[in-house]
Amino acid sequence: MKYPMVDLVGQYKKIKPEVDEAMLKIMNEASFIGGPAVKSFQKNFEEYLGVKHVIPCANGTDALQVALMALDLKPGDEVITTSFTFIATAEVIALLQLTPVLVDVEPDTYNIDPLAVEKAVTSKTKAIIPVHLFGQCAKMHELKQIAKKHNLFVIEDTAQAVGADYTCPKSGNTKKAGTIGHIGCTSFFPSKNLGAFGDGGAIFTNDDELAKKMRVVVNHGMTVRYYHDYVGVNSRLDSMQAAVLDIKLKHLDEYAQARLKAGKYYNNAFANNPKITPPYIAEDYTTHVFHQYTMVLNEVDRDGLMKHLADKGIASAVYYPVPLHLQKAYVDPRYKEGDFPVTEQLSKTVMSLPIHTELTEEIQKEITDAVLEFVNK
Ligand SMILES: *Cc1c(COP(=O)(O)O)cnc(C)c1O
């Protein structure tokens, strides 16, 4: 593809001398695991996020799993999450023998619908996992109110929205995505907004007790060397990943600006076109860091458009083609087709275009011209 979904090579070239030096240093020291690079990144990330504790781990899926493991839940306890997300969010709930309770999303932001969450709460509900999908925050204020009323934990899946700001409409306070609920979980998968050169993840919390427990859980449940108080996991961020992340963290706001600019360029190009509903930016309470640029196609042959773009060397993708409740591994008598109409409609009509930190207006013009040529024909 001439224009892939992300351009990680272009991004690397701009920080190459600094990254190469940091990598060589780790190789020369052989400080591969738990070296000073991990501590440094942890401290800098805590400062950036304005959060008391960052707990680095091996990937975003582990981050979600460890967060749930820290809550002392029992098999069969219910965790509410969105039907329109990457599978990892529900996977960890199922793996821990908890019950994923899925709910529909809002048609404009594609994020979990607080009204649907409220309706799904039962006496077994213990937690809510909102996902800040594609780069903007879910309605955390409303979700936190529901959580408070029913005594639930809120775990934010901020794998796609690291660096986004959420402003509470009531208090006017602004916080970073992932630091609003009890626990935040993120991923450093290479194509994420803060991407490593391999796998990585982190958990955020302001709660000292939860932090203490999660630090033990990620390290085999070990409190004192070879004394294990909990069944834990082995989930570490390695030094090379931490070193890259520490360098990229300094550029994260700049990266977010570049993505937002690109998102707005697309939005302008598609404004007022009846065939395209561009993504809505809920500016009154969240910034959008455009992990994905995902639009809704109105009566457009999606496969045809994707082929038309591919023929011109332009990548496109569908996030996500199958809602969670219709996934084979998650078939459940509680759910059937038609239960989550917004999610189901989105899965049939959304399409994502390349968005990353290296896009130029010239490239974007080629992309939007190619999209418009097909949808207007
Ligand atoms: C990427 C992603 C994850 C999982 O992260 P990994 O690091 O790949 O395990 C979880 N949730 C969402 C919404 C994601 O986009």
Side-chain angles (χ1 to χ4, degrees), residues 282-316:
E283 272 170 343
D284 46 332
Y285 60 87
T286 178
T287 60
H288 201 321
V289 295
F290 277 103
H291 174 61
Q292 297 297 349
Y293 183 85
T294 303
M295 58 197 191
V296 173
L297 301 171
N298 306 313
E299 293 173 19
V300 173
D301 166 17
R302 183 170 69 182
D303 291 341
L305 172 56
M306 291 176 77
K307 186 177 178 305
H308 170 81
L309 295 175
D311 288 345
K312 292 174 182 286
I314 300 166
S316 60

Side-chain angles (χ1 to χ4, degrees), residues 37-222:
V38 181
K39 265 274 162 301
S40 166
F41 170 62
Q42 182 191 315
K43 282 274 156 303
N44 290 330
F45 204 25
E46 282 166 353
E47 202 168 296
Y48 173 85
L49 294 166
V51 75
K52 254 171 113 175
H53 306 281
V54 164
I55 298 140
C57 64
N59 56 66
T61 309
D62 277 7
L64 289 161
Q65 180 178 330
V66 169
L68 284 171
M69 285 172 81
L71 301 183
D72 293 319
L73 306 182
K74 296 182 304 300
D77 281 349
E78 295 176 0
V79 179
I80 300 174
T81 193
T82 155
S83 51
F84 193 55
T85 176
F86 179 58
I87 198 69
T89 322
E91 187 174 54
V92 293
I93 303 171
L95 261 179
L96 294 173
Q97 299 193 319
L98 306 168
T99 303
V101 173
L102 303 173
V103 300
D104 214 346
V105 294
E106 301 174 322
D108 53 355
T109 64
Y110 323 141
N111 272 327
I112 195 164
D113 180 352
L115 293 172
V117 171
E118 174 94 68
K119 281 194 202 130
V121 174
T122 73
S123 59
K124 286 188 181 168
T125 310
K126 293 287 153 43
I128 311 170
I129 309 186
V131 179
H132 303 317
L133 200 71
F134 302 146
Q136 72 179 337
C137 296
K139 292 203 169 109
M140 290 303 295
H141 175 67
E142 293 177 30
L143 295 169
K144 278 177 74 174
Q145 264 179 346
I146 297 165
K148 199 167 170 199
K149 185 165 144 200
H150 300 281
N151 200 20
L152 312 174
F153 286 103
V154 179
I155 301 175
E156 301 169 69
D157 180 344
T158 192
Q160 303 190 358
V162 75
D165 285 319
Y166 178 81
T167 303
C168 173
K170 220 169 163 191
S171 69
N173 288 339
T174 297
K175 289 183 180 176
K176 288 284 175 202
T179 70
I180 310 151
H182 299 91
I183 305 176
C185 299
T186 203
S187 162
F188 304 125
F189 186 78
S191 62
K192 297 284 157 86
N193 289 31
L194 181 59
F197 286 2
D199 277 310
I203 312 162
F204 325 141
T205 188
N206 283 309
D207 183 314
D208 296 339
E209 285 306 307
L210 284 174
K212 199 168 145 199
K213 176 143 189 210
M214 291 189 290
R215 278 188 212 288
V216 172
V217 171
V218 295
N219 188 26
H220 299 290
M222 187 158 77

